Amino acid sequence: MMSQMPQQTALTRCPSCEEPLESGDRFCGACGYDLSAVPARPGDHPTIAMNGGAPPPRDGAPGVPPQPPLAGSPVSPASGVRFDRPPEPDEYPLQAPDPRVAPDVPTPPDGVKVCVACRAGRVDSDGYCENCGHAQPRERDHMEQDLGPVAAVSDRGLRHHRNEDAFGLGCAALPDGSAAVVAIVCDGVSSATRPDDASLAAARAASGALLAALPHGTHPQQAMHEAIVAASRAVNALAEEPATAREHAPHQNAPACTLVGAVVTSGLLVVGWVGDSRAYWVPVDRSAPPARLTEDDSWAAQMVAAGLMNEAEAYADERAHAITGWLGADAYELEPHTASFKPDRPGVVVVCTDGLWNYAEAAEDMAEVVPLDAAVRPLHSARVLVGHALDGGGHDNVTVAVVPFPAPPQGAGSA
C-alpha cells in the first residue's frame, strides 16, 4: 500500500539543515544527513474525530491499532505519561557539533582556546563554550609525564566528574654526583572542600621540597619527612583562602588529601605516606616475591593491627576505606610515615592511589598486572596499570607512578 511506503521521495528539504534536495538523494549534500533515517510519515488518521465521533476505520480494519512510539521517545505506550527526565548516564559524551551553527561563528584568534565540540566557539573562563555551551574536558582529566627514569599517568576514571588526584615527579643530583628520582602521588578527599586543589598543592609542595633538599645532602628519609610536612602546610593554607569559603558547604570539611611518595637513589629506596595511597615493590625477577611498602591509615588497617579482624574481613567491611590520617587543616594530628629499604635486586616501585590498588590489592595481584618490561618502559607500564583500573570499572580517579630501581652496586646488601 502506498501509505506504508517510505516517504523519502517526498522530501524537498533536508530535515537537518533545510537545504533543498533533489529526487533520489540518499544523503544531504550540505550537511551529510542520512535521509534514509527519516521515519516514514504517518497517515492522516486522527485519534479523535473533529466532529467528536470515533475515528473512522482504516483499510477496512475494525479500528486503528495503537501506533508504537518512535525509538527514543520518552512517552510510555502503556500509560501515555511523558517522562521528560530519563535516567542520567554514567558518562557524558560530547554531542556532535551542529552544522547549522558552527560555520556562522567567527573563528577565535590564535592563542584563544577553541571548543572541542563545535570547533568554533571561544571557551570562557568557567570552561564552557560561548557558542554551543558545552563544558570542555578539564586539563586534569588525563595527565601523563615521562622523565625517562620515572613516569606517571593520572586519569579521571569512568564515574567521577573530575580528577581529584595529582602527582609530582623530578630528578636531582646528589652531592656525590649520583642521581635521585622522586615521585609523589596525592589523592584528594572527595568529602572535603576543593579536594582537587588540595592534592595539587600537596604534590607540588612535596616534590619541590625533595628536589630542593636532596642536592644539599639531606638524607632521603629525612627529606621525605620534611616534604610531607611541607605538603601539609600547603594544604592547610587552602583552608584560609576565600575560594574555600565560597565553595564550603555545611557537610564539608577543610581541603584534604592523602599522599604517598618514593625516592630512589643508588642502592636506597625511601617511601613516605599519610593516608591510604600505597607503594608496592615489584622485582624484575618475578620468581622473587613482591611486597607492599606502606601501611594504610584506615579503619581496616586499624582493625587488623588491633587483632580484631583478619585482613579479608576488615577490607570487606563498608567502613574499610574510612581514612584515619590525611593532610588538611582539620586532621587530628600530622603523623608522617617513612621507611627505607635496600633492595638486593632490580625492580620497580609502583606509587599509586586507591583508584588502582582497589583492583590489585595484594602485592601478588599488583605484580601480575605490572608489565614484565616495566623497569625499561615506565610510561608504558603506568598506562597499562591505569588501563587495568579502567577495565575493572574505573570507579575512582586513578593515578600511578612507576619508578625503576636499578641493580644495586656490587657488595650492597638488603636492609
Side-chain angles (χ1 to χ4, degrees), residues 48-412:
I48 299 179
M50 292 300 293
N51 61 7
R58 182 175 61 180
D59 300 332
V64 180
Q67 299 299 307
L70 295 175
S73 169
V75 179
S76 167
S79 65
V81 177
R82 181 177 180 86
F83 299 97
D84 290 324
R85 299 194 63 179
E88 294 184 355
D90 288 329
E91 302 177 46
Y92 298 85
L94 288 174
Q95 182 179 347
D98 187 340
R100 296 170 296 179
V101 177
D104 298 330
V105 179
T107 301
D110 291 341
V112 175
K113 190 173 182 181
V114 177
C115 175
V116 299
C118 69
R119 300 292 182 183
R122 181 196 304 265
V123 177
D124 64 21
S125 59
D126 292 327
Y128 290 87
C129 177
E130 295 177 349
N131 171 42
C132 67
H134 277 297
Q136 304 301 296
R138 296 178 175 88
E139 182 181 355
R140 289 175 63 177
D141 280 357
H142 185 88
M143 301 178 291
E144 298 186 357
Q145 187 176 8
D146 183 9
L147 297 184
V150 59
V153 176
S154 182
D155 193 271
R156 176 172 60 90
L158 304 179
R159 297 291 183 269
H160 281 230
H161 71 286
R162 64 181 175 186
N163 189 358
E164 296 170 358
D165 289 356
F167 63 81
L169 307 180
C171 301
L174 300 180
D176 64 1
S178 62
V181 179
V182 169
I184 297 290
V185 167
C186 297
D187 184 354
V189 177
S190 295
S191 60
T193 308
R194 299 171 64 194
D196 51 335
D197 291 339
S199 63
L200 184 61
R204 287 176 173 172
S207 58
L210 283 167
L211 295 174
L214 292 170
H216 290 92
T218 306
H219 188 278
Q221 191 165 358
Q222 178 63 28
M224 178 63 77
H225 179 95
E226 294 173 357
I228 295 175
V229 173
S232 176
R233 290 172 179 159
V235 178
N236 291 352
L238 297 177
E240 305 300 325
E241 292 185 359
T244 299
R246 287 197 301 270
E247 296 188 17
H248 185 72
H251 67 282
Q252 289 179 316
N253 305 311
C257 69
T258 67
L259 179 149
V260 63
V263 175
V264 167
T265 67
S266 177
L268 182 66
L269 163 60
V270 170
V271 295
W273 73 98
V274 173
D276 63 348
S277 293
R278 294 180 176 180
Y280 292 83
W281 164 256
V282 179
V284 169
D285 178 5
R286 298 303 171 87
S287 65
R292 176 150 61 95
L293 306 177
T294 57
E295 291 292 338
D296 299 343
D297 288 320
S298 70
W299 180 91
Q302 282 193 344
M303 293 299 103
V304 174
L308 300 176
M309 290 183 175
N310 63 39
E311 193 162 297
E313 292 170 338
Y315 281 97
D317 193 284
E318 62 182 8
R319 296 165 290 181
H321 290 282
I323 57 175
T324 57
W326 61 88
L327 303 181
D330 58 357
Y332 299 120
E333 60 179 311
L334 177 63
E335 293 187 19
H337 309 292
T338 62
S340 62
F341 306 88
K342 290 185 177 180
D344 61 355
R345 64 197 68 210
V348 295
V349 185
V350 177
V351 185
C352 64
T353 61
D354 61 346
L356 170 60
W357 67 252
N358 276 330
Y359 300 99
E361 187 169 330
E364 294 76 15
D365 297 333
M366 185 65 71
E368 286 185 7
V369 296
V370 172
L372 295 175
D373 60 354
V376 294
R377 300 178 68 194
L379 177 60
H380 168 75
S381 300
R383 289 170 173 167
V384 168
L385 292 171
V386 168
H388 175 75
L390 298 181
D391 290 343
H395 286 79
D396 200 353
N397 306 145
V398 190
T399 302
V400 55
V402 176
V403 192
F405 184 88
Q410 288 290 343

